[in-house]
Structure formats: structure tokens, C-alpha cells
Amino acid sequence: MSEHLNDRASHQEFWAEIVEAGGPRKYVETQLRERGVWVRRQDVLSMGAKAKQAYIETIKAEDAVRKPLQEKVWKTYTALHIVHLGEDVFWQSDVSIDFFDPAHRQSRLTQRQLQDIESAEELSELMGISLSELRWLCYHREAAKSIHYNRFTIPKKSGGEREIWAPMPKLKAAQTWVLRNIAERLTVHGAAHGFMAGRSIYSNALEHTNASVVVSMDLADFFPSFTFKRVKGIFRQAGYMDGIATILALLCTEAPREVVEDQGETYYIAMGPRCLPQGSPASPALTNAACLRLDRRLSQFAEKNNWRYTRYADDLTFSIPKGETKLAEAELSAKIKQLIGTVHAVVEDEGLAVRSDKTHVMRPGTRQKVTGLVVNGRETPRTPRELRRKVRAMIHNLSKGKELHEGETLNHLTGLIAFIYMSDPQHGQKLLAQLKQATHP
């Protein structure tokens, strides 16, 4: 850190000399004059052969001094300025207020307890990295030989695989800074329960207990739906100027990429616009902020029509409390149809899409599940009975020295017990004690 600060101080000192001299071109010319190698340009067409040769030699001597000076000036300039952020990324070094800045920009920042950032240099200082590192983390290439993410897949509960792009340590640290200092402070609707302190799948399910009917709907391609432009808009709405919002959005997004081998080289080819990667620490909080208007609109509809509404990431849940409204079957069916049609319309208007194949209507007399927890009756949300049986069977097998079934691991079992513990701490604690005894007799 101290070395970075020393380098920065050195660059700033040298850049001050350049500015005092009248800019890069004037500085280089002054240095050439002081060293006695500056050459006034002449018309070579009017020279004789000997004069022309002599003139060329003086130009070469000047170039021998000019080029290292220009390289030093450029190195200093790039150390203190962003310059360029990649293909098709608009960037200007002036990040001052422009016509498109939101109204009451400063009050927006103050309201959210956000620090105003007036330059890329100031942002890099706050993050504890150099400006060149910040540019390196932001830079966009359509075809890159290396990227700042590790790609892997995990199995989906519904089948298939979910692609995860986990950021490398330097980018992860920068994204975590954005999360802690900006994303977590953005306005989020009360209906959102995912990725928030004090809220969970349990608090989400708790809103829908004792329901006469529960309707769950899923949003399609949730994280990829929040493209670079939308993420930049989040930071602009928060009160940040265009240049800073651009950098923050580049830090938090990446293009979906295909890995291609060509002549012994590995390339990561962009297959679409940059978007929020599933795996970044900042992505979940940014989706909550981006869904503020969606949550407002769906909550307003729900309140007017006697529905309860919550959202956990891409899971939308609606329910009608028992006894609040007594509807005939035809009326209830019409009410459910109206709900589904309205949600589709609102979601599409917000630039998202509903997965129709994941819409579930859970009527009275059937099991009603919300984010994996059973909510039938007046009881608090609880894990399904078959899950608890499965966990007990896995612990029993371990206690008898048997191996777990294919696809089952000790970590997976521990996670299932933690899931049970969330809704039933007493039972969860008992299972943890049994697991400990089974694995450490």
C-alpha cells in the first residue's frame, strides 16, 4: 500500500511539472530545447542532398530523446487517468455533472449515506488500489485471452446445471467494496427477503402461513436480465455522475462468455451484453435495488386485491389469508387468473420475464410450499416431513459405518440440517448432535 502511495505521489509530482509547462506537448518541447536537440521543422524539398542528410540526422537525434520523454509522460498520464475502458464502452475523462444527472443528486447520496465520488482517481483511493488496477478490472474486451472470473457449474434442483462465474480475488475485493459501501445502502422494498440482513427464506415463507391459496412464480434468467445499462442506471439513480457510474457498472458486470480454443490459444468470447454474474458478491444486492419499482407495483396490486406478496430473488409469492375473503370456486379461479395475467404484464413491462412452467397454484387441501418450507395452517414455516426423514436416514447410515448414497456428501448433509435448524432450532440442534456422534463416535 505504501509503495502504491509513493508511486502515486511521484506521478502526481511529475504531472504537476507537465501541467505547469503547458501540457504534454509543451513539456516535451521544453525538455528538448533545454537538452539542445530540438529541431525546427523545415521543407526538405528545397534542400540539397548533403543538407537533407544532415537535417535527417538531427531529426534522428531529437527522436532518440523525444520518444523516452513521450513514453514517460504517457505512463504518468495513464497512471492518473482512465483513458479508455474497452470496446464499445463510452468514456470521457471529465466526470463532472452533465444534463442527464438525476435531480437533487447530492441529496440522493446524502439520504442513502453514500459518499460522493468526483473522479476515478478518488474511487481507486477509496478501494485501496491503483488507477491502473482499477482500469484493468473494468476493461472490456469482446474476445479476451484472460478474464477476472472462474467459471464452474452446480446442479439445479429442477435438473440441468447452473453456471456460476466467481470473481478472482482482486475483482472480488473491489465488488465487495461496492457491496459494503454502496449496494447495501440502496433503497430496497419491504417485500424483498433475499440476500438481506435479518431476512431469509424463513421470513419470506412466514408471510404466507395460514393461506387459503398460495401462488408462486419464477422470473426467467434473473441475473442475466440486469445488463450493464440497467446496472449503470442503478448507480446513476443513486446520485453518481456518469463516469463514476460507468466504472462501478463495469466492475459489477461481465459478458456471458464462450470458451474457445484456437491454434493453441484460449479465448473467452463475449456472447451477449455485460450483465450481473451469478457469483459476484455485489450481484444479489444490486438485483434487489433494481427490482424496487417491480416490487412497488406488485405490492400495490396485491394490497388492492387482498393478496400478500413477497419476493426472494427470482421467486415471487402471493397468497390470500384464510377467512379474509370467502370466494366461490369460480370467483377464486377468476382472481387467480387475474393475478397471473397482471404479474406477467408488470414483469414484462419491467424488462423481465416469467417462467410459465414454474408457476404453481397451491389450493386448500394441498401442500403449500414457499421457498422450500411448508406453510399450511397457522403453524410457523417448517421443512417437509420427507426431508427430515431423509436426514435421519443419512445420519443412521453414517452411524452404522455405511457410505452415503451417490451425490450425497457430508457438507450436503450439514447444509440440510442447517436448513432444518432455521425453522426448528431445537430439532436442528438434536440432528447436529446425532451427526457429530455418528461421525466422531
Side-chain angles (χ1 to χ4, degrees), residues 5-32 34-35 65-81 121:
L5 292 174
N6 289 336
D7 287 344
R8 181 172 159 273
S10 177
H11 285 308
Q12 286 181 327
E13 185 178 345
F14 181 46
W15 187 250
E17 289 181 38
I18 295 170
V19 171
E20 189 177 351
R25 188 177 63 81
K26 285 287 187 181
Y27 172 82
V28 171
E29 183 179 322
T30 300
Q31 290 295 311
L32 293 174
E34 288 180 1
R35 300 179 194 193
V65 179
R66 178 189 294 273
K67 286 180 179 178
L69 281 171
Q70 288 177 328
E71 288 173 2
K72 184 180 178 183
V73 169
W74 179 247
K75 182 180 179 181
T76 299
Y77 181 82
T78 55
L80 300 175
H81 302 79
E121 182 182 11

Side-chain angles (χ1 to χ4, degrees), residues 387 390-391 394-395 398 404-405 407-420 432 435-436 439-440:
L387 174 65
K390 178 183 177 180
V391 169
M394 291 171 72
I395 294 173
L398 287 173
L404 295 171
H405 295 155
E408 296 176 346
T409 65
L410 192 57
N411 283 340
H412 176 59
L413 174 55
T414 305
L416 292 176
I417 294 174
F419 183 52
I420 294 170
L432 283 172
L435 175 62
K436 184 177 180 181
T439 53
H440 300 88

Side-chain angles (χ1 to χ4, degrees), residues 357-375:
D357 61 320
K358 296 294 289 290
T359 296
H360 300 288
V361 177
M362 293 161 275
R363 295 172 179 271
T366 63
R367 174 183 284 179
Q368 297 170 334
K369 283 176 66 178
V370 177
T371 45
L373 296 171
V374 178
V375 296

Side-chain angles (χ1 to χ4, degrees), residues 188-359:
V188 175
H189 196 275
H193 285 260
F195 321 112
M196 297 181 64
R199 299 187 189 182
S200 63
I201 59 175
Y202 181 81
S203 68
N204 183 63
L206 190 61
E207 296 288 328
H208 300 283
T209 57
N210 196 36
S212 60
V213 65
V214 177
V215 179
S216 67
M217 307 175 76
D218 272 19
L219 299 176
D221 300 320
F222 188 58
F223 285 94
S225 297
F226 299 98
T227 59
F228 168 78
K229 288 183 179 179
R230 295 183 75 166
V231 176
K232 179 179 175 179
I234 295 171
F235 294 117
R236 289 285 269 163
Q237 283 298 313
Y240 289 105
M241 294 179 288
D242 185 80
I244 299 304
T246 296
I247 294 174
L248 292 171
L250 287 170
L251 282 174
C252 295
T253 59
E254 176 56 283
R257 293 184 183 271
E258 192 75 33
V259 183
V260 176
E261 300 287 339
D262 182 49
Q263 297 181 0
E265 294 274 11
T266 300
Y267 293 90
Y268 300 88
I269 309 299
M271 303 302 291
R274 293 178 73 97
C275 57
L276 289 177
Q278 191 163 353
S280 161
S283 290
L286 289 171
T287 62
N288 278 338
C291 286
L292 177 61
R293 194 170 70 171
L294 171 71
D295 290 335
R296 280 176 176 165
R297 294 176 69 180
L298 292 179
S299 287
Q300 287 169 1
F301 170 80
E303 287 172 12
K304 288 178 182 177
N305 293 274
N306 298 316
W307 289 96
R308 296 177 294 193
Y309 164 68
T310 62
R311 180 181 59 81
Y312 188 95
D314 56 351
D315 293 332
L316 312 179
T317 307
F318 299 83
S319 66
I320 298 177
K322 274 185 181 177
E324 190 160 310
T325 55
K326 294 184 178 179
L327 301 173
E329 178 56 33
E331 292 176 301
L332 182 59
S333 295
K335 190 176 181 69
I336 293 169
K337 185 177 180 181
Q338 177 202 30
L339 169 72
I340 293 173
T342 301
V343 172
H344 273 266
V346 171
V347 166
E348 288 170 16
D349 191 47
E350 292 296 323
L352 299 167
V354 174
R355 282 191 59 179
S356 297
D357 61 320
K358 296 294 289 290
T359 296

Side-chain angles (χ1 to χ4, degrees), residues 111-149:
Q111 184 181 17
R112 296 170 175 83
Q113 296 183 317
L114 298 173
Q115 181 174 344
D116 194 7
I117 303 170
E118 297 185 349
S119 69
E121 182 182 11
E122 184 180 350
L123 177 60
S124 69
E125 286 180 16
L126 290 169
M127 288 184 167
I129 58 177
S130 68
L131 197 66
S132 59
E133 285 177 314
L134 179 61
R135 181 172 56 245
W136 173 62
L137 293 174
C138 291
Y139 203 90
H140 174 75
R141 289 183 176 87
E142 289 293 307
K145 288 188 176 181
S146 63
I147 55 174
H148 299 290
Y149 290 85

